[in-house]
Amino acid sequence: FWASHNEGKYAAYSSSNPECEVAVFPDAGQYCVINNTDRPQSTDVALPDGSVEHFDLDQSAIAWRNL
């Protein structure tokens, strides 16, 4: 983000839990949150508008949302 001078965009679609990742698919108009563990996990995902969405994910679960 620093190299592209987009530091202000770092928080968008970031997960508060390092065991979970977020993948954004702008062309499809969707994003997903992935639990990369064999245990249930909870995470908050920061959205571009400043709001936060909470996720409770079962082991190895994927949750899809529209952008």
Side-chain angles (χ1 to χ4, degrees):
F1 288 91
W2 177 81
S4 66
H5 305 287
N6 285 301
E7 297 94 326
K9 295 180 182 178
Y10 181 76
Y13 299 109
S14 62
S15 170
S16 65
N17 181 341
E19 302 287 355
C20 299
E21 69 177 282
V22 181
V24 180
F25 303 93
D27 291 343
Q30 295 187 312
Y31 73 95
C32 66
V33 183
I34 305 159
N35 175 357
N36 289 316
T37 73
D38 60 355
R39 300 175 316 277
Q41 298 287 331
S42 294
T43 190
D44 293 321
V45 174
L47 302 176
D49 65 2
S51 64
V52 174
E53 186 167 1
H54 182 79
F55 291 85
D56 291 312
L57 300 168
D58 288 333
Q59 59 193 31
S60 303
I62 299 175
W64 288 92
R65 297 291 186 272
N66 293 322
L67 293 176

